[in-house]
Amino acid sequence: MMKINISQLRKDPGSAQPFSFKTSAGELSLDNPEVWVESMVVDGCIINKGMIYEVTGKIRATINQCCSRCLEDMVTILNVAFSEEYREAEFEKSGEALVQEINYFSGDEIDITDLIRENILLAEPIKPVCSESCRGLCPECGVNLNINTCGCNSIKTDPRLAVLEKLLSKD
C-alpha cells in the first residue's frame, strides 16, 4: 500500500510535500509479476490547493518482454508521468455535485496504490517492438529477417487473380 500522510500538509494551504515509494508488481497485484525486472520507483509531490490535493509524479519501471515482430527477448523501460486530484470524502456528502475527475479520501492519508496500478497498466506496451526498424519473421520459413535473409518469394499473388496472371505471361 502506498499511502501519503498529509497531516502536516493540511495545516498549510498552498504548500507542497514530496514523496517517494518503492513497490513491486506483486504489491500492485499486476498480472505476470515475474516479468517486471526490479522494484518500481514512484517519485512525486502532493500540493495542498485548499479543498483539493493534487498528486503529481513519475513512475519508473523495467519489464522483460518479447518483441511482437521478431519474438526476441527485450527490455522495456517505462517512465510514466501521472497527475490526479483528491478531495476529502466529507465534501462528497455535503450535497455538492460530484466531479468525475476527482478522487475522494478520508482521514490523514491518501492511498495512491490504485492510481499507480492504473497508470502502469495503461503505459505497458500492447505490441512491443525491439526497434521501429524491426523486420520481423519471414511468414514462409520463420527466419528472423533482422539477422538473416531467406530465399522465400516475398511477392504473393492472390489466388483469385492467378488466371489474370496467365493472360499477362507471353509464354
Side-chain angles (χ1 to χ4, degrees), residues 137-143 150 152-154 156:
L137 302 175
C138 172
E140 291 293 317
C141 65
V143 71
C150 63
C152 298
N153 183 7
S154 62
K156 290 290 179 190

Tab-separated table of all heavy atoms in Angstrom, residues 137-143 150 152-154 156:
chain	number	residue	atom	x	y	z
A	137	LEU	N	9.686	-11.740	-38.645
A	137	LEU	CA	9.952	-13.095	-39.117
A	137	LEU	C	9.380	-13.291	-40.515
A	137	LEU	O	8.357	-12.711	-40.860
A	137	LEU	CB	9.318	-14.124	-38.178
A	137	LEU	CG	9.747	-14.097	-36.720
A	137	LEU	CD1	8.938	-15.108	-35.915
A	137	LEU	CD2	11.222	-14.365	-36.579
A	138	CYS	N	10.036	-14.140	-41.308
A	138	CYS	CA	9.511	-14.489	-42.629
A	138	CYS	C	8.241	-15.316	-42.423
A	138	CYS	O	8.247	-16.291	-41.662
A	138	CYS	CB	10.537	-15.294	-43.414
A	138	CYS	SG	9.891	-15.955	-44.976
A	139	PRO	N	7.141	-14.960	-43.083
A	139	PRO	CA	5.909	-15.719	-42.897
A	139	PRO	C	5.960	-17.129	-43.504
A	139	PRO	O	5.151	-17.977	-43.152
A	139	PRO	CB	4.847	-14.872	-43.598
A	139	PRO	CG	5.590	-13.949	-44.482
A	139	PRO	CD	6.959	-13.799	-43.933
A	140	GLU	N	6.920	-17.389	-44.385
A	140	GLU	CA	7.036	-18.715	-45.012
A	140	GLU	C	7.899	-19.675	-44.190
A	140	GLU	O	7.458	-20.737	-43.805
A	140	GLU	CB	7.639	-18.575	-46.415
A	140	GLU	CG	6.718	-17.894	-47.400
A	140	GLU	CD	5.482	-18.725	-47.712
A	140	GLU	OE1	5.609	-19.948	-47.895
A	140	GLU	OE2	4.394	-18.132	-47.747
A	141	CYS	N	9.160	-19.262	-43.944
A	141	CYS	CA	10.107	-20.183	-43.303
A	141	CYS	C	10.380	-19.853	-41.838
A	141	CYS	O	10.977	-20.650	-41.125
A	141	CYS	CB	11.415	-20.219	-44.087
A	141	CYS	SG	12.322	-18.669	-44.090
A	142	GLY	N	9.997	-18.654	-41.374
A	142	GLY	CA	10.152	-18.298	-39.972
A	142	GLY	C	11.512	-17.757	-39.580
A	142	GLY	O	11.776	-17.556	-38.402
A	143	VAL	N	12.404	-17.478	-40.552
A	143	VAL	CA	13.721	-16.944	-40.213
A	143	VAL	C	13.581	-15.493	-39.742
A	143	VAL	O	12.711	-14.761	-40.205
A	143	VAL	CB	14.689	-17.053	-41.427
A	143	VAL	CG1	14.320	-16.073	-42.527
A	143	VAL	CG2	16.123	-16.839	-41.004
A	150	CYS	N	16.219	-14.840	-46.472
A	150	CYS	CA	15.796	-16.166	-46.919
A	150	CYS	C	15.468	-16.108	-48.402
A	150	CYS	O	15.352	-15.033	-48.980
A	150	CYS	CB	14.606	-16.658	-46.103
A	150	CYS	SG	13.137	-15.646	-46.297
A	152	CYS	N	12.712	-17.137	-49.770
A	152	CYS	CA	11.268	-17.260	-49.991
A	152	CYS	C	10.781	-16.156	-50.923
A	152	CYS	O	11.313	-15.046	-50.940
A	152	CYS	CB	10.520	-17.183	-48.663
A	152	CYS	SG	10.939	-18.507	-47.527
A	153	ASN	N	9.755	-16.469	-51.688
A	153	ASN	CA	9.153	-15.492	-52.596
A	153	ASN	C	8.357	-14.495	-51.757
A	153	ASN	O	7.376	-14.855	-51.133
A	153	ASN	CB	8.254	-16.204	-53.611
A	153	ASN	CG	7.662	-15.261	-54.635
A	153	ASN	OD1	8.021	-14.087	-54.679
A	153	ASN	ND2	6.768	-15.779	-55.450
A	154	SER	N	8.796	-13.246	-51.782
A	154	SER	CA	8.123	-12.250	-50.955
A	154	SER	C	6.893	-11.660	-51.640
A	154	SER	O	6.086	-11.008	-51.009
A	154	SER	CB	9.101	-11.125	-50.588
A	154	SER	OG	9.535	-10.479	-51.766
A	156	LYS	N	3.457	-12.314	-53.177
A	156	LYS	CA	2.388	-13.314	-53.192
A	156	LYS	C	1.280	-12.836	-54.127
A	156	LYS	O	0.866	-11.688	-54.078
A	156	LYS	CB	1.803	-13.495	-51.786
A	156	LYS	CG	2.734	-14.165	-50.839
A	156	LYS	CD	2.869	-15.600	-51.232
A	156	LYS	CE	3.819	-16.320	-50.311
A	156	LYS	NZ	4.155	-17.623	-50.798
